[in-house]
Amino acid sequence: MPPCPMMSRMRNDPDFQDFLWLWNQRSAQETPAIHRRIARWLMARRDAGDRRLLLMAFRGCGKSTLIGLWCAWLLLINPSTRILVVAADAQLATRMVATVRRILESHPLCAELLPDVPENWAADRFTVARPGALRDPSMLAQGVSGNITGARADVIICDDVEVAGNCDTLGKREALRERLAELEFILTPGGTILFVGTPHCEESLYRDPKHEDAFLRSYRRLTLPIMNSAGASAWPERFPNEAIAMLRQRVGALHFERQMMLKALPAEAARLDPAALIRYAEEPEYREAGGRAELSLLGRRLVSGGGYWDPAYGRPGSGDSSVLAACYADQEGNHFLHRLRYLTHDPDAAEDPATQQCRQVAHIARDLLLPVIRVETNGIGRFLPALLRRELAKAGAACAVVEQNNHRAKADRILGALEPALAARRLHTHESVFRTRFPSEMAEWAPGVSGARDDALDALAGCLLAEPVRLARAGPPAKAAYWRGN
């Protein structure tokens, strides 16, 4: 049987686009236009001698897989190439190296690269069959905070080195840039550094080069947002416009603009619009049928619910507000902010302020049949759970108390919880909430704005972010938490 003409040509003069096409043919899948565009860009930059590159492409476009194929192709055309993969953590970098290893094992053009020694074929590093005796492996995975001082590389792939957890403060961003600057000492003369990622903050590594402090100002870049300026999808077969619109609703406008449209927007660009709240006036309806308790609202069966208490001293007219938010949720993913109570205390009363507030929370939990109250214990709330359990028992409320210690920034919690719910029109709000200062607090709030009230927003975010608590049914049910079913 005569050899395939394309196979013979690629063995003599392999081209990355042919290498990619053959891999996809073997995998019985098409090569989308966006992948062909990235492949052409990589080839053009290599032919032009560009050695500092930045590829920004929307989440889910397969850029990491494509770069893995590019690494395999580099090893094919020059087995002596040494590639270092750096990611936000070692596990993510290892995934890239493992992907390249699988490609080499399966691609029909790469059989001669497989080594004879199994020790050279690990998940986080491997060495292909190559001439000479180089000290460094063909491919090595390292986290950005790992020890890479003694390594040498001809190509460095910085794959998602910026993530939400390492760029949310000025100190973290400076530390990240300092670590990445060391890569220049590891790269061999004439080597290539390729950054692949999406922005996570305003001062992103990938921000526009017009900014004076742009980290990658001199890099040649390719930017591929999920939609072009005309609103057309960059990959319509996988991401039609309807799916893009639903994604925007689920993740919220800020995260969508950063991760999918590749805009390094400031957190202050996000706004919470009270007009997006869906108003209702009905009260939940409790009933028992067939030995099962049910709670419904607006004709919908409720499946979870609970309260979140962001405590403060609650002194009238001063300091932070002590706020309790009580929410329900149905099985379709709709949330119902049914009560929002700004708790205060009477300074002249005989009982201490903590007991007064715990008693108010207990009565609300009993009246609304809440199965759980989460108490934020970051500040003064450390001693409140025990007091609250005592008051719940006195009030006859079958409600659990969960201590909540938050490590995530408050603004991130608020945006992460409220923005997607508002965008999807899934946050219903009882009319009693509109008689509080919550709507104005919501309209005036913006991330990073000092002095803006956010106590109620934080309490609501705690409700939305919390997992539903489902207690096992044991014995005759009390009129309380068992309306959620088992």
Side-chain angles (χ1 to χ4, degrees):
M1 181 176 179
C4 171
M6 177 172 286
M7 185 79 71
S8 300
R9 180 171 67 83
M10 284 192 289
R11 287 185 185 278
N12 296 329
D13 186 19
D15 178 88
F16 178 52
Q17 294 186 73
D18 294 335
F19 185 87
L20 171 62
W21 177 87
L22 185 59
W23 173 261
N24 286 336
Q25 285 294 106
R26 184 179 180 86
S27 305
Q29 61 186 16
E30 298 293 328
T31 304
I34 189 171
H35 287 186
R36 296 196 298 270
R37 182 177 177 185
I38 294 174
R40 290 193 300 269
W41 180 77
L42 289 170
M43 290 297 296
R45 300 283 62 79
R46 179 180 175 84
D47 294 341
D50 297 323
R51 297 293 181 257
R52 298 295 183 272
L53 308 175
L54 167 60
L55 170 61
M56 280 202 300
F58 60 89
R59 296 282 295 273
C61 80
K63 56 184 178 296
S64 293
T65 301
L66 194 63
I67 296 305
L69 284 161
W70 186 61
C71 291
W73 175 76
L74 290 175
L75 292 171
L76 173 65
I77 62 175
N78 183 5
S80 296
T81 303
R82 294 164 295 179
I83 304 174
L84 172 64
V85 178
V86 180
D89 57 62
Q91 183 177 6
L92 182 59
T94 299
R95 287 172 53 189
M96 167 75 79
V97 173
T99 297
V100 178
R101 194 182 66 165
R102 288 193 297 269
I103 293 171
L104 295 175
E105 292 171 342
S106 304
H107 202 289
L109 297 181
C110 298
E112 297 178 356
L113 294 175
L114 302 183
D116 297 328
V117 183
E119 290 78 7
N120 294 341
W121 210 242
D124 64 338
R125 67 189 67 201
F126 63 80
T127 301
V128 301
R130 63 187 182 185
L134 297 174
R135 182 190 67 176
D136 298 289
S138 298
M139 200 163 188
L140 172 66
Q142 280 286 359
V144 71
S145 59
N147 183 13
I148 54 178
T149 303
R152 296 289 285 171
D154 307 298
V155 177
I156 299 178
I157 308 295
C158 296
D159 182 34
D160 281 330
V161 290
E162 177 183 291
V163 295
N166 65 10
C167 68
D168 55 346
T169 67
L170 177 60
K172 290 180 181 179
R173 290 191 293 270
E174 290 178 347
L176 177 60
R177 284 160 172 76
E178 183 177 345
R179 291 292 295 170
L180 293 174
E182 296 179 11
L183 298 179
E184 294 288 348
F185 300 103
I186 295 169
L187 191 68
T188 57
T192 298
I193 300 180
L194 170 63
F195 278 81
V196 183
T198 55
H200 285 77
C201 63
E202 180 183 11
E203 297 82 12
S204 171
L205 293 172
Y206 319 118
R207 72 188 308 183
D208 195 292
K210 67 182 180 182
H211 293 279
E212 293 183 1
D213 60 342
F215 185 73
L216 305 177
R217 181 188 297 181
S218 61
Y219 278 57
R220 294 296 299 271
R221 59 179 61 200
L222 176 63
T223 303
L224 298 172
I226 194 171
M227 292 189 301
N228 61 20
S229 57
S233 172
W235 192 350
E237 298 83 4
R238 184 173 181 179
F239 294 95
N241 288 345
E242 297 79 7
I244 295 174
M246 292 180 63
L247 177 64
R248 182 187 178 92
Q249 289 182 353
R250 289 196 300 269
V251 303
L254 182 63
H255 290 296
F256 181 85
E257 291 296 316
R258 286 176 172 174
Q259 298 288 287
M260 306 305 290
M261 297 303 293
L262 311 177
K263 299 178 181 179
L265 295 180
E268 291 78 5
R271 296 286 178 176
L272 303 178
D273 185 6
L277 298 171
I278 302 175
R279 190 166 182 159
Y280 70 95
E282 289 78 359
E283 294 293 328
E285 179 182 353
Y286 177 88
R287 69 186 185 95
E288 298 180 5
R292 295 175 62 89
E294 293 184 0
L295 196 66
S296 60
L297 182 61
L298 302 175
R300 305 174 186 182
R301 170 82 184 275
L302 301 177
V303 296
S304 65
Y308 190 98
W309 183 14
D310 182 9
Y313 286 110
R315 189 174 183 87
S318 64
D320 293 337
S321 299
S322 183
V323 182
L324 172 71
C327 296
Y328 302 111
D330 64 15
Q331 57 189 359
E332 283 79 30
N334 294 294
H335 299 277
F336 301 87
L337 174 57
H338 198 67
R339 289 291 185 272
L340 191 76
R341 185 68 56 84
Y342 290 83
L343 305 172
T344 60
H345 70 273
D346 183 1
D348 299 325
E351 293 178 316
D352 61 276
T355 299
Q356 293 183 50
Q357 293 191 49
C358 286
R359 182 166 301 167
Q360 297 174 57
V361 173
H363 289 169
I364 294 172
R366 179 196 60 195
D367 296 342
L368 298 183
L369 306 181
L370 298 180
V372 61
I373 295 290
R374 287 179 170 81
V375 182
E376 186 171 316
T377 57
N378 292 56
I380 69 166
R382 294 181 181 179
F383 65 93
L384 289 177
L387 290 177
L388 180 57
R389 292 186 182 98
R390 183 189 67 186
E391 293 302 321
L392 286 167
K394 289 182 178 180
C399 178
V401 177
V402 175
E403 299 180 23
Q404 184 76 37
N405 192 283
N406 292 315
H407 302 283
R408 188 178 172 190
K410 183 185 290 189
D412 292 340
R413 294 200 308 270
I414 292 172
L415 284 177
L418 271 67
E419 200 179 27
L422 292 171
R425 301 285 291 173
R426 291 185 177 275
L427 184 52
H428 302 251
T429 307
H430 192 267
E431 63 175 7
S432 62
V433 177
F434 289 91
R435 295 194 291 269
T436 70
R437 62 174 181 268
F438 174 74
S440 60
E441 178 178 310
M442 183 176 176
E444 296 169 1
W445 182 85
V449 177
S450 61
R453 291 283 187 178
D454 57 10
D455 304 301
L457 294 172
D458 189 29
L460 174 56
C463 279
L464 300 181
L465 294 174
E467 290 291 329
V469 174
R470 301 180 183 276
L471 302 179
R473 181 170 177 173
K479 182 182 176 182
Y482 301 103
W483 49 264
R484 297 164 295 138
N486 291 327

